Amino acid sequence: MLDLSAHELVTTTRAVRRRLDLDRPVDPALIEACVEIAVQAPTGRNRQRWSFVVVTVPDRKAALADIWRRGTRAGGTPMPEEDARRAYAKPGTMEKVFDGVDHLYRTLHRMPALVVPCVTGRTEGAAVVEQAGTWGSILPATWSFMLAARLHGLGTCWTTSHLHFEREAAELLGIDHERVMQVALTPVAHTVGTDFRPGSRVPVAEVLHWEQW
Ligand SMILES: Cc1cc2nc3c(=O)[nH]c(=O)nc-3n(C[C@H](O)[C@H](O)[C@H](O)COP(=O)(O)O)c2cc1C
């Protein structure tokens, strides 16, 4: 494990796209160790509805990467002005993100592992309280998985593009789409070097509201 303080761990776990070693295999035991940590995350009513699908077989990785690429090409909805202001606040940041996405686009199928965190339960049409309970019972675990990966010298990148075609990915991975939602897809690979820095963010004063918004 890397010798990182808790502060370093939570401030330097980045979306890693370029600095991933495509040629160094990842020991399955390391991924299992990350899932052991992930399942210590909070879970609504202690239901533990999480699952992690790990894909390492070349053909299946290639097929999943194809779905992801199509999703990436489909793009997202346009960013509201306020979000764009924050995203582009530091000149050059988004250019780097786009470069990274382009690299990931070309290399995703070559990653040693692709991990798809899932939650049992679907939220289409559900009340916000239900949605919060379901998403809130897998996203913290997903982030814990990524923190654990960083601790073990592995890089990850939270992505959601393949969810444009979630049903197709479910068929590929044998996931029961009626009962189980996929929530993300991350590559997992050893990082090239282990030094990462805090990301660029808008000032805390802009997002921290005391007593009322
Ligand atoms: C919900 C969510 C969806 C994301 N989707 C993608 C994606 O589809 N492709 C990608 O390359 N990065 C994706 N990212 C990574 C973000 O681009 C990244 O977190 C952001 O640019 C900040 O970079 P940093 O985490 O390294 O500070 C996603 C992150 C989140 C939290």
Side-chain angles (χ1 to χ4, degrees), residues 204-213:
V204 166
E206 205 182 301
V207 299
L208 177 60
H209 310 278
W210 293 95
E211 319 311 347
Q212 66 171 37
W213 185 288

Side-chain angles (χ1 to χ4, degrees), residues 94-112:
M94 287 310 284
E95 285 74 6
K96 271 196 200 149
V97 171
F98 294 134
D99 270 5
V101 173
D102 188 53
H103 185 78
L104 197 58
Y105 189 93
R106 284 182 278 111
T107 54
L108 193 70
H109 61 290
R110 293 177 53 205
M111 297 294 163

Side-chain angles (χ1 to χ4, degrees), residues 67-205:
I67 295 172
W68 185 92
R69 282 190 193 99
R70 260 190 285 137
T72 296
R73 286 201 300 274
T77 49
M79 259 197 222
E81 208 177 303
E82 172 64 7
D83 298 7
R85 187 188 60 74
R86 288 186 178 182
Y88 288 86
K90 185 172 172 206
T93 301
M94 287 310 284
E95 285 74 6
K96 271 196 200 149
V97 171
F98 294 134
D99 270 5
V101 173
D102 188 53
H103 185 78
L104 197 58
Y105 189 93
R106 284 182 278 111
T107 54
L108 193 70
H109 61 290
R110 293 177 53 205
M111 297 294 163
L114 301 178
V115 176
V116 178
C118 303
V119 63
T120 301
R122 301 206 63 90
T123 55
E124 289 96 340
V128 167
V129 64
E130 189 63 38
Q131 291 184 39
T134 302
W135 290 99
S137 293
I138 183 62
L139 301 186
T142 302
W143 183 235
S144 289
F145 176 90
M146 292 175 159
L147 293 171
R150 163 99 172 105
L151 206 51
H152 286 94
L154 301 170
T156 58
C157 179
W158 195 304
T159 78
T160 48
S161 308
H162 84 290
L163 298 176
H164 284 280
F165 305 104
E166 188 205 354
R167 194 181 288 275
E168 208 179 313
E171 275 165 30
L172 176 73
L173 303 178
I175 294 169
D176 179 357
H177 182 269
E178 304 308 311
R179 291 176 50 245
V180 175
M181 264 192 323
Q182 300 162 58
V183 303
L185 181 156
T186 179
V188 177
H190 286 276
T191 54
V192 177
T194 57
D195 56 315
F196 291 90
R197 283 179 304 199
S200 132
R201 298 292 191 259
V202 297
V204 166

